[in-house]
Structure formats: C-alpha cells, structure tokens
C-alpha cells in the first residue's frame, strides 16, 4: 500500500501479546485501534503508549463475545477511517481457574494444549470440505459432552479442553475465511510459549518476541500468503 496510511484493530490489547502487537505496529506508522473489553484497562493501556510518543494509538471498547460491542466498533471504524486494513484477532482466555503453584509443579508441555483426537483432527484438517456447519457441530458435540461430564470418555483433549477446542476451531474457521476471501491475507499464528497472564507466567518467551509473528503477518504485502498456519514467523503444518 506504499505510503498510504493504514488502519489496524487489535483485539484483547490491554495487556500481553496484544498490547505489544499494538506497540510494534504503531511504531511502523500504522494507526492502531487498541481494543479491550474493559474500558478502564483499555484506556490506561492506550495512555501508556500515547505517553511513549505513539499518538497514532486510539482506544475503542470491544468485547469479542458481545455482538453490540462489535457493531459499535465497526461503526466507529467506518465513520472515522472509512476502511480497515489489518485485524489482529488476539483476544483469548484460558477459561479456567487454576492453582498456579500446582500448574507450575506439573510442568505442562504447551504443545499438549491444542491437539484434538485423530478423527476430529482429520475432519478439521480436510480444508476442501470444511464448512462453518461442520465446525458448529463439533463445538455442539463438545458442549454436550462437557455438560454430561463425558469429555475424557469421548476422546476430547483433557488439557484445558475448552481452550484447546476453541483454538482448533478458530484455526479451522480461519481457513474457511481464507478460502472465501481470496484477495485478503487471512492466517493463523502461534506466538510461541510467551510469558503472560494467560499461562500464569510460566511461558518462557518475552512478549517482545511473542508479538513478532502477529506483527509480521499484519504487515504482509497484498500478495502475501493466505490460509496458512505460522509457528511464530515460519509457515508450519496446521
Ligand atoms: N501466551 C502464550 O504462550 C500463548 C500461546 C498460544 C496462544 N496464545 C494466544 O495469544 C493471545 C493473547 O494471549 P496473551 O498470552 O497475551 O494473554 P493475556 O495477557 O491474558 O491477554 C489476553 C487478552 O485477551 C483479552 N480478552 C479476553 N476475553 C476477551 C473478550 N471477550 N473480549 C475482548 N478481549 C478479551 C484479555 O482482556 P482482560 O484483561 O479484560 O481479561 C486480555 O487483554 C490469546 O488468544 C492466547 O490464547 C498465547
């Protein structure tokens, strides 16, 4: 896009990898809308970056689970900028309350968090035949088994099951979007095992490195890769 001003939205950006992604993107000259579900936390994070000289960072509230909040952000972008060039869909939550000391003692392998059983892996990996309906059905089955206390017996991932299935589904959905909008670059990225609140700070990588993948993908040229999964900055298998 040459020297033309670019506009970005980063979700869940009041802290962690999202906050660092905003910072690194803003440093390249992109106008970044830092979004957060909590107005106070979001405003504070934005002020911090503004005070560091990044006046091209603005705040808007966004709770990614709230349709009205999404609509309000979309209206803001439309009226303020007329378009959006970059969306970093970063917001995430572990979905569990844990005893942090026990978790540290368990010495969890982070790669265990995202592997579903073989059958579901095949279904979600069959990108040619993947549909939103298929993903919805898998999620409905998951919810059903969760309510019946039957996750283990039905072969679901038992390490952070809700987190795991949400990430696998999101990755699959990303591939559907990439197929549907071939002119856009729509990719997934694993940031590495990053030291943030989401893993109770047992992650080993600093956020500065953890944000490198999302920043690189956000700045891809128009003809860049799409429908890919990146392990940090390198293309990998889904
Ligand atoms: N850290 C890692 O090792 C690692 C590894 C793989 C993937 N990831 C992914 O990287 C992303 C960023 O995580 P992080 O490590 O930076 O964790 P983090 O520091 O806990 O940040 C998560 C962010 O998501 C926000 N959020 C949660 N639910 C939201 C909602 N409904 N609407 C809007 N924002 C919401 C949180 O806001 P609040 O402050 O309001 O809670 C927070 O700003 C997540 O998607 C995570 O799954 C991280």
């Amino acid at each position: 896009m040459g020297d033309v001003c670019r506009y970005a939205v980063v979700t869940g950006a009041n802290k962690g990898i999202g906050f660092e992604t905003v910072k690194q993107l803003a440093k390249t000259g992109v106008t970044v809308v830092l979004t957060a579900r909590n107005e106070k936390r979001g405003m504070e994070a934005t002020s911090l970056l503004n005070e560091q000289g990044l006046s091209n960072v603005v705040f808007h509230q966004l709770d990614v689970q709230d349709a009205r909040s999404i609509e309000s952000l979309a209206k803001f972008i439309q009226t303020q900028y007329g378009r959006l060039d970059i969306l970093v869909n970063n917001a995430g939550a572990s979905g569990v309350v844990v005893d942090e000391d026990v978790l540290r003692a368990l010495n969890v392998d982070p790669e265990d968090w995202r592997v579903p059983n073989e059958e579901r892996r095949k279904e979600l990996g069959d990108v040619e035949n993947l549909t939103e309906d298929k993903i919805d059905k898998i999620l409905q089955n998951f919810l059903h088994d969760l309510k019946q206390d039957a996750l283990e017996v039905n072969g679901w991932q038992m390490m952070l099951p809700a987190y795991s299935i949400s990430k696998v589904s999101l990755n699959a959905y990303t591939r559907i979007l990439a197929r549907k909008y071939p002119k856009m670059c729509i990719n997934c990225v694993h940031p590495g095992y990053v030291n943030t609140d989401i893993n109770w700070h047992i992650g080993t990588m600093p956020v500065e490195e953890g944000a490198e993948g999302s920043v690189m993908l956000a700045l891809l040229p128009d003809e860049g890769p799409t429908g890919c999964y990146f392990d940090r900055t390198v293309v990998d298998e889904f």
Side-chain angles (χ1 to χ4, degrees), residues 11-18 35-38 41 62-66 89-93 113 163 167 189-199 203 207:
T11 71
N14 53 292
K15 64 180 182 180
I17 300 167
T35 68
R37 58 180 164 181
N38 179 286
R41 288 196 287 271
L62 174 68
D63 183 335
V64 296
Q65 291 182 301
D66 177 351
N89 184 19
N90 163 82
W113 294 19
Y163 180 83
K167 289 297 178 190
V189 59
H190 176 53
Y193 195 33
V194 187
N195 183 335
T196 66
D197 285 351
I198 211 167
N199 52 30
V207 284

Side-chain angles (χ1 to χ4, degrees), residues 18 40 42 80 102 111 154 194-195 201 209:
K40 184 169 178 286
Q80 288 293 309
V102 171
E111 294 308 312
N154 286 312
V194 187
N195 183 335
H201 295 274
E209 287 174 36

Side-chain angles (χ1 to χ4, degrees), residues 5-114:
C5 187
R6 280 188 289 176
Y7 303 104
V9 162
V10 182
T11 71
N14 53 292
K15 64 180 182 180
I17 300 167
F19 178 76
E20 180 62 26
T21 300
V22 171
K23 191 192 219 173
Q24 292 186 19
L25 274 180
K27 281 185 179 168
T28 71
V30 174
T31 296
V32 190
V33 184
L34 182 158
T35 68
R37 58 180 164 181
N38 179 286
E39 194 114 15
K40 184 169 178 286
R41 288 196 287 271
M43 299 269 279
E44 279 171 5
T46 306
S47 298
L48 209 63
L49 294 176
N50 292 160
E51 281 158 20
Q52 290 175 23
L54 296 169
S55 56
N56 50 337
V57 177
V58 298
F59 172 69
H60 198 281
Q61 193 273 347
L62 174 68
D63 183 335
V64 296
Q65 291 182 301
D66 177 351
R68 266 204 244 166
S69 165
I70 295 169
E71 205 176 301
S72 153
L73 175 71
K75 268 198 191 130
F76 171 79
I77 300 291
Q78 186 64 47
T79 49
Q80 288 293 309
Y81 310 122
R83 66 165 205 276
L84 182 67
D85 304 297
I86 297 165
L87 172 64
V88 183
N89 184 19
N90 163 82
S94 67
V96 291
V97 178
V98 301
D99 181 324
E100 297 182 27
D101 294 332
V102 171
L103 188 84
R104 279 192 199 91
L106 281 172
N107 203 10
V108 174
D109 174 354
E111 294 308 312
D112 279 354
W113 294 19
R114 57 192 177 107

Side-chain angles (χ1 to χ4, degrees), residues 120-135 138 168-177 179 238:
R120 287 179 202 114
R121 188 209 293 258
K122 256 194 203 151
E123 199 171 357
L124 289 167
D126 179 10
V127 67
E128 297 305 318
N129 297 305
L130 201 57
T131 60
E132 283 182 42
D133 272 356
K134 270 195 185 169
I135 299 177
I138 290 175
V168 169
S169 307
L170 191 62
N171 287 352
Y173 183 56
T174 306
R175 300 176 94 178
I176 294 177
L177 286 182
R179 219 177 46 203
F238 263 89

Side-chain angles (χ1 to χ4, degrees), residues 216-237:
M216 185 204 82
L217 292 181
L219 298 176
L220 281 176
D222 288 349
E223 64 285 1
T226 187
C228 298
Y229 175 88
F230 285 77
D231 186 352
R232 303 199 54 225
T233 55
V234 180
V235 179
D236 202 350
E237 296 280 303

Side-chain angles (χ1 to χ4, degrees), residues 150-163:
L151 290 182
E152 191 160 13
V153 70
N154 286 312
W156 295 99
Q157 166 61 260
M158 290 309 290
M159 177 57 75
L160 297 178
Y163 180 83

